[in-house]
Amino acid sequence: MIPLLAQIFAQAATEVGTQAGELVDGLSAIGAGIGYGAAAIGPGIGIGLVVGNAITAMARQPEAAGMVRTTMFLGIAFTEALALIGFVVFILINFA
Amino acid sequence: MNALLALEFPPVSHLLEWPDFALKGNEYFAFNKIALLSVLAAVFSIAVIWFGARKAQLVPTRGQTLAESVVEFVRENVVMQTMGAAGLGWMPFLTSVFLFIFFCNIFEIIPGIQMPVTARMAIPAALALLVWVLYNAVGIKKQGFFGYLKSSLLPPGVPKALLPLVMLIEFVSTFLIRPFSLAVRLFANMLAGHLLLVTFAVLTAAVWSATPLALIVPVTFATLVALTMFEVLVAVLQAFIFTILTAVYINLASHADH
């Protein structure tokens, strides 16, 4: 599937007269975009769960709000790391 | 010079390498804006504590109140929440880390500077390496080399058959992923925020013209202002998260049972 697509793109590229390097640049930009989008799905759901449950906990026990908030930030930090790695990969593919 | 004062938009290649302005071409001591700002951040962190604590009085002056509120924030929200009273000896280190990262981050929104130092991998990586060395050293000192390895690689209550797999996973997550994610979290958050501000600043400048496009200038500019305020929050939050994770890692390494 993918080699076939690449072949079609390459043929199209030669027909309109672009260089092979430009094709690779374009495809890697597409890949970076899709990659970042995919990397953001899981952490998005995860952070939603973490914060939602933290709010439930705070509403049930307002006196424990301080402790819950600290733990919530910890949970967010761990969850968010994956999305941020996706962002770094995006930057690396596009600019490095 | 204009790029140094954030008066013009630098080319996107500067994202990874900023040009030097002193000792150009010197492999080890070349000096650029990022290095200057990181030195400034260290000086500011020292200054806050130095001028706050120099003549400590019962009725605090303004500088002393500022320094005391920072110290109290770290004590109440970082140390007491994660390590308890036994961890109060780590206060000086954690406060320094918090202040340094905060000043590195807050340069992001200071007009005329607008470059978070932590948006370069060098500073977060160096800090994460420091934390990695520190928590491993604490673990080895408190539990002995093999005791530390045992407590960090062998979670209690794992079936015998799964042990090799669990040990491998625990090794990778404790000794490799932890410092990596600590550095990348700070770096990527600040870089993403910086790019967000740049995007809206450039967009506002681009639609500022005599065409009908000028109608959306208020929208983009308001977004820019709102994002700037959001980045203040992110700067404090990332410094806080780095500090609290440092405290958690040191605490995990110093106790056998977890």
Side-chain angles (χ1 to χ4, degrees):
Chain A
M1 181 71 192
I2 307 263
L4 185 68
L5 269 181
Q7 203 181 353
I8 293 172
F9 277 128
Q11 200 170 6
T14 46
E15 275 168 19
V16 296
T18 45
Q19 301 295 316
E22 289 174 27
L23 181 74
V24 170
D25 283 354
L27 285 179
S28 67
I30 293 173
I34 295 175
Y36 176 64
I41 297 172
I45 298 170
I47 293 177
L49 284 177
V50 169
V51 178
N53 284 325
I55 290 172
T56 315
M58 283 186 215
R60 286 192 184 191
Q61 268 186 306
E63 68 273 12
M67 200 190 72
V68 171
R69 198 176 298 116
T70 311
T71 321
M72 181 186 81
F73 281 131
L74 270 180
I76 291 177
F78 284 127
T79 320
E80 179 192 47
L82 294 169
L84 293 172
I85 291 171
F87 174 70
V88 171
V89 169
F90 174 85
I91 294 286
L92 285 179
I93 291 177
N94 270 347
F95 300 118
Chain B
M1 196 62 204
N2 277 348
L4 203 63
L5 291 174
L7 292 177
E8 65 179 23
F9 181 55
V12 86
S13 63
H14 285 195
L15 204 58
L16 296 167
E17 192 173 0
W18 196 275
D20 309 324
F21 68 81
L23 298 171
K24 276 178 197 161
N26 189 318
E27 198 177 341
Y28 298 109
F29 297 104
F31 209 71
N32 60 14
K33 181 177 172 180
I34 312 298
L36 177 69
L37 289 180
S38 60
V39 171
L40 273 183
V43 169
F44 286 160
S45 324
I46 295 171
V48 165
I49 298 297
W50 178 265
F51 288 109
R54 197 175 44 166
K55 289 189 217 128
Q57 307 156 3
L58 192 59
V59 181
T61 56
R62 266 177 298 178
Q64 193 186 341
T65 314
L66 183 72
E68 277 179 1
S69 63
V70 171
V71 172
E72 192 172 325
F73 173 78
V74 175
R75 190 179 66 203
E76 293 305 319
N77 289 300
V78 176
V79 176
M80 293 310 272
Q81 300 278 351
T82 58
M83 304 164 107
L88 283 178
W90 288 101
M91 273 295 296
F93 173 70
L94 294 174
T95 314
S96 322
V97 167
F98 177 79
L99 271 176
F100 179 68
I101 297 179
F102 171 72
F103 279 118
C104 282
N105 290 349
I106 206 71
F107 285 136
E108 184 180 12
I109 53 138
I110 309 283
I113 299 177
Q114 296 189 316
M115 178 68 228
V117 185
T118 38
R120 295 305 148 102
M121 196 52 185
I123 297 237
L127 284 168
L129 197 65
L130 173 69
V131 171
W132 185 80
V133 169
L134 194 69
Y135 77 73
N136 284 327
V138 168
I140 291 172
K141 188 171 170 231
K142 287 271 169 73
Q143 306 177 37
F145 183 73
F146 290 104
Y148 175 55
L149 268 189
K150 184 169 170 287
S151 78
S152 48
L153 294 187
L154 300 177
V158 177
K160 279 247 161 44
L162 280 178
L163 267 184
L165 187 64
V166 170
M167 276 172 71
L168 185 68
I169 293 174
E170 288 285 316
F171 178 82
V172 170
S173 83
T174 309
F175 295 109
L176 304 178
I177 302 277
R178 258 187 207 177
F180 176 72
S181 69
L182 198 60
V184 163
R185 180 178 299 117
L186 181 58
F187 158 74
N189 259 304
M190 297 323 289
L191 182 60
H194 182 61
L195 287 182
L196 211 58
L197 291 187
V198 167
T199 307
F200 276 92
V202 171
L203 184 63
T204 310
V207 295
W208 178 258
S209 55
T211 58
L213 269 181
L215 286 177
I216 63 168
V217 164
V219 180
T220 57
F221 188 71
T223 318
L224 181 59
V225 172
L227 280 175
T228 305
M229 288 190 279
F230 176 67
E231 287 305 318
V232 179
L233 174 75
V234 170
V236 179
L237 200 62
Q238 287 308 315
F240 171 62
I241 284 177
F242 194 99
T243 318
I244 200 167
L245 283 177
T246 306
V248 167
Y249 292 156
I250 291 173
N251 192 43
L252 277 180
S254 56
H255 295 296
D257 50 329
H258 54 259

